Amino acid sequence: MLESLGINPVLLIAQAISFGVLYYVLNKFLFSQIRTALDERTAAVNKTLADKSEIEHRLQAFEQEQKAAHKKAAEEVQKMMVEAKDAAAATKAELVAKARDSANAEIVVAQKRIEQEKLNAEVEVSKHAKSLAQSIVQQLLAEKSSDPQWQQEQIKASLETLKQSKS
Amino acid sequence: MDLTQLAKALAIGIGAIGPGIGLGIIGGKAVEAVGRNPEVTGQIRTIMILGMAFTEAVAIYALVISLIIS
Amino acid sequence: MHISLKPELLFNLGPFPVTNSILSSWIATLLLIVLAIVVGGNFKRIPSGIQHIFEMIYEMFEGMATEVMGKAGSKFVPLLATLFLFIITSNWLGVLPGVGSLGFYETHVAASSDSHAAPAAKDAHATPAAKDAHAAPAKDDHSGEPVFVPLFRGANADLNTTFALAIIVMVFIHVMGIKSAGLSHHLAHFKNPLEIVSEFSKVLSFGFRLFGNVFAGEVLLTAMASILVIITGKSLLLYGVIGGFIVTPFLMLEFFVGFIQAFVFAMLTLSFLSLFYKTENSESHH
């Protein structure tokens, strides 16, 4: 039976040995290298994926940070604007008040001065008038004293006024 | 009349009937399966080839017997 | 048309008979070894050419092994890939023109001494002479005729090769089973004596499947070539035209069968291995 099928133990063992040699050589020279190459490639791919997720993570965090910073900045600007408005209003009011105060003070001073000057002027005028009246009176007196008639008339008139004031 | 020739022919002829039917069933069922869910075509093909190899082996035995008869 | 089930003997190397099929298998082995050393010698990080093909095959089996056996499967990928590569290489080398047709005629000189003793009754002596051909080859009246001995024969068209592969695989499977589960656990698989029979039938089916497919392919190609010769006679032009229609489809079929059988051999090895090899997963269940 075995003979008619051509099975020969020597050939069988020879084929087995040659296959074993083939297995050893392929494993040593080729498959071990393919194995390491595949492992390396898998590791590289995994690393890339991990890097990618990390980068995405970081990007997200960065974006959030940026957003927060934007928000904060906007809020600050708003706050500053409000503050500035307040400050401006305050300054304006102050300035206005100051201006008013100083104006009032000046007005008061001016009024005082004006009053003073008025007073001075009045005094001056009255002085002037007095001296003028004196001189006029002196002149008139000097003129009229030489006229006895006028003198009598005058005396009469003044007596009259006296009489009237007494009555 | 030489009966060995007839024996050879009968060995492979009768022996091929069963595997022939079996291969037909396998192929038909595989096509059916692919038609039902085409997304697993690759897996079905692998299983089909394995099943066909087993079925075909029976025909191969018959062939070997017919070749041994002399 | 003469097709021999056995490989033909070419010459004897001491006690070792060198047959045409073992010559082919050596050529296939040598080819693969040279390729492996050349590719392994200048292994590049970015694969190209043959390295790409080797990596593709390796990855294909890695995918299947991890699918069937989990992470432990990647340990067996070298064996599966080697089986696949050896079988597919020798199958495809067996389809090449010249294999089976290139050879020489050999006359059994030793038998010719008294072959002319009974030249007259050639037909009458044929049957009895064939009967005791093994016992007394000298009386075989074909002994004087030259016998064609092909120089190459598909390595897997020889039961020695296929059974060698089958036995290696089955031994490997059982060694791995014992290694992973321990001897007593492994022997527990064989409480039923039918299981033992099934193990032997696995070897037979492994060996005969591969042999049968490849051998049947060779027979088919020879038959087609004979039909071609019968149809065309001796016209070379007709031979070329009709040969394209008659032989080419079968050549394609043989290339396909060569691939499928290599694939099936490796796949069956994997699935038989997964029956006996205990993975970490199943160990944790115990």
Side-chain angles (χ1 to χ4, degrees):
Chain A
M1 168 76 183
L2 284 182
E3 178 55 34
S4 74
L5 287 173
I7 292 177
N8 182 339
V10 179
L11 285 172
L12 200 77
I13 291 164
Q15 292 278 21
I17 289 169
S18 94
F19 181 79
V21 169
L22 179 67
Y23 174 70
Y24 176 77
V25 170
L26 282 185
N27 206 359
K28 178 150 192 190
F29 287 94
L30 193 61
F31 293 147
S32 56
Q33 296 207 50
I34 290 178
R35 175 83 265 155
T36 49
L38 287 183
D39 284 349
E40 265 172 28
R41 224 165 285 164
T42 314
V45 168
N46 280 342
K47 195 173 166 286
T48 314
L49 285 179
D51 282 359
K52 192 188 153 210
S53 69
E54 205 196 315
I55 285 168
E56 268 175 8
H57 213 76
R58 270 195 207 167
L59 195 71
Q60 238 172 17
F62 178 71
E63 265 173 11
Q64 261 176 3
E65 225 167 73
Q66 221 177 15
K67 235 183 236 171
H70 263 292
K71 212 172 160 187
K72 209 173 158 192
E75 269 173 10
E76 246 163 49
V77 165
Q78 195 78 21
K79 214 166 127 192
M80 268 160 80
M81 266 166 80
V82 169
E83 265 171 22
K85 235 183 233 171
D86 285 358
T91 319
K92 197 179 158 194
E94 205 179 314
L95 278 176
V96 165
K98 227 184 220 171
R100 198 181 286 150
D101 283 0
S102 67
N104 281 350
E106 259 168 38
I107 284 170
V108 168
V109 168
Q111 268 175 351
K112 270 185 186 163
R113 199 189 286 159
I114 285 167
E115 264 168 33
Q116 191 69 39
E117 265 170 31
K118 229 192 215 167
L119 229 93
N120 285 356
E122 261 171 32
V123 170
E124 200 109 320
V125 164
S126 65
K127 258 187 197 167
H128 227 74
K130 232 183 236 170
S131 66
L132 206 67
Q134 256 176 354
S135 71
I136 287 173
V137 167
Q138 276 172 354
Q139 251 179 5
L140 276 177
L141 281 176
E143 265 177 32
K144 294 306 179 167
S145 56
S146 55
D147 188 356
Q149 200 187 340
W150 186 80
Q151 274 179 351
Q152 277 178 344
E153 268 175 33
Q154 273 302 312
I155 296 162
K156 264 190 210 170
S158 47
L159 283 173
E160 200 86 8
T161 42
L162 277 172
K163 258 188 212 171
Q164 274 177 6
S165 63
K166 266 184 185 171
S167 63
Chain B
M1 189 182 165
D2 194 357
L3 278 178
T4 52
Q5 293 289 328
L6 187 65
K8 283 184 176 191
L10 283 180
I12 182 63
I14 296 170
I17 292 172
I21 295 168
L23 285 174
I25 291 171
I26 291 171
K29 291 281 176 189
V31 170
E32 221 170 72
V34 169
R36 207 166 281 166
N37 37 356
E39 63 270 18
V40 284
T41 308
Q43 290 174 33
I44 291 172
R45 190 189 297 126
T46 313
I47 297 167
M48 181 190 77
I49 286 170
L50 274 182
M52 280 187 162
F54 277 119
T55 315
E56 207 183 32
V58 179
I60 298 296
Y61 299 154
L63 179 74
V64 170
I65 296 298
S66 93
L67 289 170
I68 289 171
I69 297 171
S70 57
Chain C
M1 189 170 114
H2 170 78
I3 300 156
S4 162
L5 209 57
K6 313 183 214 182
E8 287 88 352
L9 182 73
L10 293 177
F11 55 86
N12 277 306
L13 204 73
F16 185 77
V18 177
T19 57
N20 46 13
S21 65
I22 205 168
L23 194 66
S24 301
S25 106
W26 283 345
I27 288 171
T29 306
L30 208 67
L31 186 72
L32 280 175
I33 285 176
V34 167
L35 275 181
I37 289 172
V38 165
V39 170
N42 48 7
F43 197 84
K44 289 182 257 29
R45 262 204 86 196
I46 295 151
S48 61
I50 302 171
Q51 189 192 333
H52 208 136
I53 294 170
F54 280 130
E55 284 195 12
M56 232 169 65
I57 291 167
Y58 192 91
E59 272 184 280
M60 178 175 85
F61 283 112
E62 168 124 357
M64 280 188 286
T66 45
E67 195 181 307
V68 173
M69 303 176 61
K71 220 157 181 212
S74 62
K75 206 161 67 176
F76 305 116
V77 178
L79 178 76
L80 301 179
T82 310
L83 280 171
F84 178 81
L85 282 172
F86 175 71
I87 294 170
I88 199 170
T89 309
S90 46
N91 282 357
W92 283 1
L93 284 178
V95 183
L96 291 182
V99 177
S101 56
L102 207 69
F104 50 88
Y105 284 94
E106 195 174 60
T107 44
H108 290 282
V109 187
S112 64
S113 56
D114 45 3
S115 64
H116 50 83
K122 197 176 176 183
D123 286 302
H125 275 266
T127 348
K131 262 185 186 165
D132 49 11
H134 288 295
K139 280 182 182 162
D140 191 352
D141 58 349
H142 284 284
S143 56
E145 278 178 24
V147 177
F148 179 69
V149 178
L151 193 56
F152 303 113
R153 179 191 172 98
N156 289 321
D158 175 5
L159 278 169
N160 290 316
T161 318
T162 61
F163 272 116
L165 293 180
I167 289 167
I168 285 175
V169 163
M170 290 317 286
V171 168
F172 182 82
I173 285 169
H174 284 280
V175 167
M176 278 299 146
I178 291 168
K179 246 189 183 174
S180 70
L183 189 61
S184 54
H185 263 103
H186 185 71
L187 286 179
H189 286 290
F190 307 108
K191 277 175 194 154
N192 191 339
L194 262 178
E195 293 288 330
I196 301 169
V197 176
S198 124
E199 289 310 300
F200 282 103
S201 88
K202 270 181 196 168
V203 176
L204 283 181
S205 115
F206 252 137
F208 272 122
R209 177 181 303 111
L210 186 55
F211 167 76
N213 271 288
V214 177
F215 185 72
E218 264 181 23
V219 172
L220 193 67
L221 285 182
T222 316
M224 286 304 136
S226 318
I227 289 171
L228 187 62
V229 171
I230 290 165
I231 291 173
T232 56
K234 280 178 180 165
S235 161
L236 276 178
L237 184 67
L238 269 178
Y239 194 96
V241 173
I242 296 174
F245 287 104
I246 290 182
V247 182
T248 312
F250 291 98
L251 280 173
M252 289 177 182
L253 179 75
E254 281 320 302
F255 271 102
F256 180 66
V257 166
F259 165 75
I260 288 292
Q261 287 310 312
F263 182 72
V264 161
F265 201 99
M267 280 301 291
L268 286 180
T269 305
L270 180 62
S271 47
F272 288 154
L273 199 54
S274 70
L275 291 182
F276 291 120
Y277 188 76
K278 265 210 167 99
T279 55
E280 282 82 39
N281 241 345
S282 55
E283 261 172 35
S284 63
H285 281 296
H286 271 272

